[in-house]
Amino acid sequence: AQSVTQLDSQVPVFEEAPVELRCNYSSSVSVYLFWYVQYPNQGLQLLLKYLSGSTLVKGINGFEAEFNKSQTSFHLRKPSVHISDTAEYFCAVSDQGWMAAGNKLTFGGGTRVLVKP
Amino acid sequence: NAGVTQTPKFRVLKTGQSMTLLCAQDMNHEYMYWYRQDPGMGLRLIHYSVGEGTTAKGEVPDGYNVSRLKKQNFLLGLESAAPSQTSVYFCASSARQGEVWNTEAFFGQGTRLTVV
């Protein structure tokens, strides 16, 4: 079984300030890691993913995340946020190797980011 | 380029009523999923399908049934709606490409369901 914990349910941040969203996971098998963003009244959009290789992953809209296997973490960062980054952010994992079982995602509870002017 | 389309977008049901949510994808994806989103709980997998004619239970399948008669469609049914099924429902799809997965899931816009 897998679980994903997003340590902050809400993060207020001023425009042009940096932001970090924390994500920890537990799993008995190797996993792929994802961050999704949900803008108000919309579906989820992939920000970035870690499959293998370099532990620093760059995504869309200036976001990046770092995979730390020893700490089972995948924290998301952006050095300077914009008003348009106001959204809910979800960390998710899926098992590696379960090809026949599909790419099922286990999500964290989400972090609401409110960017203030 | 529609991607994943869900219908309806909103629905109010009375307890005990039934309904079907429709998900359609135009990307020829093998895998399709139904999730529900509840505050503070993220998204939880209800049912999923790894191909036409196949379905499987996810984390929270009770009270729901699904069917995938055509590759592009994945239906979610509520036989007897309960207030606990008030939620936002998301359909998603993803591809399988040879030995390397295309691991991105594409999501629909969601269906907001209220059961009173």
Side-chain angles (χ1 to χ4, degrees):
Chain A
Q2 302 164 329
S3 67
V4 179
T5 302
Q6 292 182 239
L7 298 167
D8 305 294
S9 59
Q10 295 188 59
V11 174
V13 58
F14 287 105
E15 194 173 18
E16 299 184 4
V19 70
E20 178 180 80
L21 308 184
R22 296 178 293 168
C23 173
N24 287 88
Y25 70 93
S26 66
S27 177
S28 58
V29 299
S30 296
V31 296
Y32 299 124
L33 296 145
F34 307 83
W35 276 98
Y36 282 85
V37 60
Q38 184 181 31
Y39 299 106
N41 299 313
Q42 294 190 26
L44 277 71
Q45 177 183 0
L46 183 68
L47 271 180
L48 49 79
K49 60 187 177 186
Y50 173 78
L51 305 182
S52 63
S54 173
T55 58
L56 184 62
V57 180
K58 294 189 183 299
I60 62 172
N61 301 339
F63 284 92
E64 63 181 30
E66 186 156 19
F67 170 54
N68 188 318
K69 188 174 183 179
S70 63
Q71 296 186 5
T72 61
S73 67
F74 191 52
H75 300 334
L76 180 71
R77 303 184 184 93
K78 186 170 182 178
S80 176
V81 296
H82 301 128
I83 296 289
S84 59
D85 292 321
T86 293
E88 190 160 19
Y89 294 79
F90 292 95
C91 181
V93 303
S94 69
D95 284 349
Q96 291 186 20
W98 281 80
M99 298 187 78
N103 182 23
K104 298 173 291 180
L105 292 165
T106 299
F107 286 87
T111 299
R112 290 187 180 275
V113 173
L114 175 60
V115 181
K116 303 176 180 179
Chain B
N1 190 2
V4 178
T5 303
Q6 293 182 231
T7 53
K9 290 184 170 47
F10 303 93
R11 184 74 185 268
V12 178
L13 283 181
K14 294 182 178 180
T15 297
Q17 286 185 319
S18 63
M19 77 164 293
T20 300
L21 282 67
L22 171 63
C23 177
Q25 52 96 1
D26 62 2
M27 297 172 282
N28 200 35
H29 284 168
E30 291 290 336
Y31 302 154
M32 296 187 75
Y33 319 83
W34 277 107
Y35 292 89
R36 60 177 289 174
Q37 182 182 21
D38 301 292
M41 303 185 74
L43 281 76
R44 292 178 292 168
L45 183 65
I46 304 171
H47 286 280
Y48 65 100
S49 168
V50 298
E52 182 178 323
T54 71
T55 63
K57 295 180 179 179
E59 180 185 355
V60 289
D62 293 343
Y64 305 95
N65 56 74
V66 288
S67 64
R68 190 149 178 223
L69 300 179
K70 296 182 178 180
K71 185 177 183 179
Q72 64 268 35
N73 295 338
F74 195 29
L75 306 180
L76 177 70
L78 285 73
E79 293 181 342
S80 178
S84 60
Q85 294 178 303
T86 293
S87 187
V88 181
Y89 292 86
F90 286 98
C91 177
S93 70
S94 64
R96 174 181 173 177
Q97 295 182 349
E99 294 298 320
V100 178
W101 290 22
N102 180 342
T103 52
E104 178 176 355
F106 293 83
F107 285 80
Q109 296 293 296
T111 296
R112 187 173 295 272
L113 175 66
T114 302
V115 182
V116 297

